[in-house]
Amino acid sequence: PHSTNRATNAPDCGFGMLKLRAATAVVLLAVVAAALFLAPASLWTLFCAAVLVACAREWGRIAGLSPIATSLYCGLLLLALAFVYVGPPVLLDGAFGIGCLFWWLVVPWWLHQRPRPSRLVLLGCGFLVLVSAVTALQFLRQLGASLLLAVMAVAWVSDTVAYLAGRRFGRRKLAPAISPGKTWEGLAAGLIAASVYALVIGVEVPHLWLRPVTVIHWIVAGLVLAVLGVMGDLFESQLKRVAGVKELDPRPAGRTLV
């Protein structure tokens, strides 16, 4: 499910949304797990390319691109991804480095200032975000399918707990101007859940990484990934809100995939 911790006064509607999110998560998890553990490297690369196209289409919708322009945007991102794959290792390092700088420097500023970017700036941000993210999927899978699944599960665990805790205990709004339903209580519960999950991973399956990693490293990594998950959700919510497409796509799978 998408990273959220919403509180509402409509239990029936909330329960229906929870069931929809759960069903979507189960389907997507089955698809991802099958591709992750059963597909050879070439098919996993194609799967990552499909993920990139799906995300690029959603980003093109946010940017207000026409269908033809969206197709061209998808093609451009696929070319960039292929260039990173077959190019020298410095391109891979550059993709990761630029992605990290974007999330740790640009996104916090973006959420604080809430700018109204031009279409060109918005498409450039999508280029950086999507290419670096899909490159990470490819790289982590090479290190180990179980490791990649464990990393992705941090977001799923913190996301689910944040949603449930926010609905039950949420009182204080986290970012009312961006996503009014998110609460500090949900965020705290999500971070705690991520820490516990990372602790269990560090203790029970310490062999996931290629070299010895302490439990503290896993916990810190879990917290960092959980925070980035919240930032990513807020960033997308802000982009959609500015673009006026916050609720235009009723399909949960499209939002979940991004």
Side-chain angles (χ1 to χ4, degrees):
H2 218 7
S3 186
T4 185
N5 45 19
R6 303 183 183 279
T8 181
N9 294 323
D12 293 337
C13 179
F15 183 66
M17 179 58 69
L18 180 60
K19 291 194 296 183
L20 183 60
R21 289 172 180 273
T24 303
V26 169
V27 172
L28 289 177
L29 179 60
V31 173
V32 171
L36 192 58
F37 289 99
L38 301 179
S42 57
L43 287 182
W44 175 254
T45 299
L46 292 177
F47 176 80
C48 290
V51 170
L52 179 64
V53 169
C55 294
R57 289 178 61 85
E58 177 77 354
W59 205 284
R61 186 179 70 88
I62 294 174
L65 296 181
S66 66
I68 294 178
T70 298
S71 297
L72 292 175
Y73 186 61
C74 291
L76 179 62
L77 265 63
L78 285 173
L79 285 176
L81 184 67
F83 192 59
V84 171
Y85 281 178
V86 303
V90 67
L91 292 179
L92 184 65
D93 296 336
F96 291 153
I98 292 174
C100 289
L101 289 175
F102 182 84
W103 283 109
W104 286 116
L105 297 180
V106 176
V107 171
W109 172 86
W110 196 296
L111 295 177
H112 181 262
Q113 297 294 328
R114 301 198 300 275
R116 302 184 68 87
S118 66
R119 179 177 295 176
L120 183 60
V121 170
L122 189 56
L123 293 176
C125 289
F127 187 92
L128 295 177
V129 169
L130 299 182
V131 172
S132 61
V134 176
T135 300
L137 287 178
Q138 181 75 5
F139 176 74
L140 286 175
R141 208 258 190 172
Q142 293 175 358
L143 296 182
S146 297
L147 173 63
L148 176 54
L149 183 62
V151 170
M152 291 191 295
V154 173
W156 302 335
V157 170
S158 62
D159 190 62
T160 302
V161 173
Y163 179 83
L164 296 175
R167 287 187 51 79
R168 178 64 179 85
F169 304 107
R171 297 293 183 270
R172 293 172 294 174
K173 303 297 184 181
L174 175 63
I178 299 176
S179 186
K182 289 181 172 56
T183 64
W184 283 102
E185 291 82 1
L187 173 63
L191 293 180
I192 292 173
S195 301
V196 173
Y197 166 79
L199 175 63
V200 172
I201 291 295
V203 171
E204 297 297 330
V205 282
H207 61 280
L208 282 179
W209 196 247
L210 298 180
R211 58 184 179 182
V213 176
T214 67
V215 173
I216 298 299
H217 285 121
W218 274 109
I219 294 176
V220 171
L223 288 171
V224 169
L225 291 173
V227 170
L228 286 174
V230 175
M231 289 171 56
D233 189 39
L234 290 173
F235 179 60
E236 185 191 1
S237 295
Q238 172 63 13
L239 293 181
K240 287 188 173 184
R241 189 171 296 278
V242 170
V245 296
K246 179 67 175 175
E247 301 299 339
L248 289 184
D249 186 1
R251 298 166 298 171
R255 294 193 299 273
T256 304
L257 190 57
V258 174

